[in-house]
Amino acid sequence: MHTEVFHKNELLDRESLDKLQAIRLKNTVFQASRSKFYRDQLYHAGIKVADMQTVDDVRRLPFTTKEILRTQYPYGMLALPVEKMNRMHASSGTTGSPTAIFYTKNDVETWGDLVARCMYCVGIRPKDVFQNMSGYGLFTGGLGIHYGAEKLGCCTIPAGAGNSKRQIKLLKDFHVSAIHIIPSYALHLATVFDKLGIDPKSLNLRIAIVGAEPHTEAVRQRIEEIYGIKAYNSYGLSEMNGPGVAFECPEQNGMHIWEDAYLAEILDPKTQEPLPDGEIGELVITTLTREGMPLLRYRTKDLTRFLPGECPCGRVHRRLDRILGRVDDMIILKGVNIYPMQIERVLMEIPEVGQNYLIVLEREGYLDQMRVKVEVKDDYFVEDMRVLKGLQQKIARLLKDEILITPRVDLVEHNTLPTSEGKAKRVEDHRED
Ligand code: ADP
Ligand code: ZN
């Protein structure tokens, strides 16, 4: 099969990929042991570099968690002196204090190559004018994507986050053909286009990279329809460099995790035992090429599964399913486990539902309740109370079918729920207020 690729490692066969991973795993353990933290950890676990022979030996290594990175803040995880570092980033801090990540010059290069590979894979070429609409600064979605786009050879516009009118002006004036955008912001931006009376389809856009937060297939489809483009899911986390960890190929069926750079495991979150392909668990990743701050068995807390089978695109790098959410995102209500993405999936398939929603958890007396605030598209927001009541009941019923609990549904006019330039906040928990 002939697939045009940015990097030859994309087309390695399984055997070669396994061999490469085994060699790189051993190198990584050696490199990690140059940091005081891992030297102590490996010593206490009785592991020597020479023990690392095959890919499966990764399972002998201890885990690294976000909490460990926080206690080692700021420089505790470095495998080389600070003088050798070239760049620093931090996580967004969605779940607590941010963690700091360091890159050597080589790390910056290999990361840029990975991002360029992802972009090339979905058809972005040097001739594209590329607008990066994610926040610059410590967030990796800014410079991370930026360097990848430049490496690929695109004329790259560092638009940054927010300022929607200016974003639209840039898109129009420079005939932008490819963008990077957070999915919730892509939906919000659509409402600004609407207000300005501009049809996003009239632009020169053809491809969007969407990622950085969980979103459903229905949201992707909305983005593709509104803008008249193809949208590809992009997964990454600052602890693993940032974007460029796993990316959809043109098949749009799962994200290839680049196995020459990352060794991925899906583990049962309770027992930490590996799960078979197809079963949902926690994604755990070991870096395979990083020299400044290698991480062993980093527990991402993100829930997903390996998709079984081969991808028709010809790449054997394993595919991850859409991220269902973080382990911490799970809502426990009346003894039922619910993920915000289950709710999004239902809502976004209802044609009357607008581009934004919010899940509010509250306590009434001794009872926990869920309230789902849903924006209704302008065309459907009619004066007739009976029609609105009918819609409210329909949404509540469809949600109950999915989550087994009947939530209260509040219908609100479009553009009235809070929006964010960064990752959307989907749940407000007032139960302890
Ligand atoms: P923080 O963990 O503080 O949000 P990061 O900016 O490093 O910091 O974000 C990484 C996290 O963002 C991932 O662990 C994951 O939870 C989420 N994420 C990134 N890309 C995606 C994606 N394509 N789909 C779902 N979630 C994603
Ligand atoms: Zn593929």
Side-chain angles (χ1 to χ4, degrees), residues 105-277:
K105 208 173 178 54
N106 283 339
D107 291 336
V108 171
E109 286 294 317
T110 42
W111 179 24
D113 274 338
L114 284 168
V115 175
R117 175 196 297 194
C118 296
M119 295 174 63
Y120 190 91
C121 165
V122 297
I124 300 176
R125 293 292 178 269
K127 66 172 195 292
D128 281 298
V129 178
F130 182 83
Q131 185 166 325
N132 186 10
M133 304 193 202
S134 83
Y136 278 66
L138 291 176
F139 178 51
T140 52
L143 288 177
I145 293 282
H146 187 98
Y147 276 80
E150 282 192 354
K151 206 152 216 181
L152 183 54
C154 297
C155 175
T156 309
I157 305 177
N163 202 340
S164 303
K165 285 195 182 136
R166 193 184 64 178
Q167 299 282 6
I168 292 174
K169 183 167 165 40
L170 292 170
L171 289 170
K172 259 177 54 185
D173 292 355
F174 300 103
H175 310 290
V176 171
S177 50
I179 56 174
H180 173 233
I181 188 165
I182 293 184
S184 55
Y185 186 64
L187 293 181
H188 171 67
L189 194 66
T191 68
V192 182
F193 268 106
D194 212 26
K195 235 192 272 167
L196 296 175
I198 304 172
D199 179 3
K201 289 199 193 73
S202 66
L203 303 173
N204 193 37
L205 265 186
R206 50 184 208 99
I207 295 176
I209 299 172
V210 296
E213 66 181 7
H215 57 290
T216 53
E217 181 61 36
V219 160
R220 181 237 295 280
Q221 278 169 16
R222 276 192 181 205
I223 295 171
E224 292 195 328
E225 268 158 37
I226 294 168
Y227 291 88
I229 54 172
K230 284 286 198 184
Y232 298 97
N233 195 357
S234 153
Y235 171 78
L237 60 165
S238 36
E239 291 83 359
M240 293 292 133
N241 289 336
V245 175
F247 215 84
E248 273 181 344
C249 67
E251 299 294 324
Q252 293 187 308
N253 182 18
M255 301 178 285
H256 289 283
I257 179 156
W258 301 120
E259 293 188 76
D260 52 332
Y262 302 101
L263 177 49
E265 303 167 81
I266 302 279
L267 305 181
D268 182 324
K270 289 205 189 81
T271 63
Q272 273 87 54
E273 286 303 313
L275 291 170
D277 287 5

Side-chain angles (χ1 to χ4, degrees), residues 55-73:
V55 175
D56 291 337
D57 289 324
V58 73
R59 291 183 50 202
R60 305 154 70 119
L61 297 171
F63 291 110
T64 307
T65 59
K66 221 175 179 95
E67 291 68 40
I68 290 179
L69 299 191
R70 284 179 182 141
T71 59
Q72 293 301 311
Y73 180 91

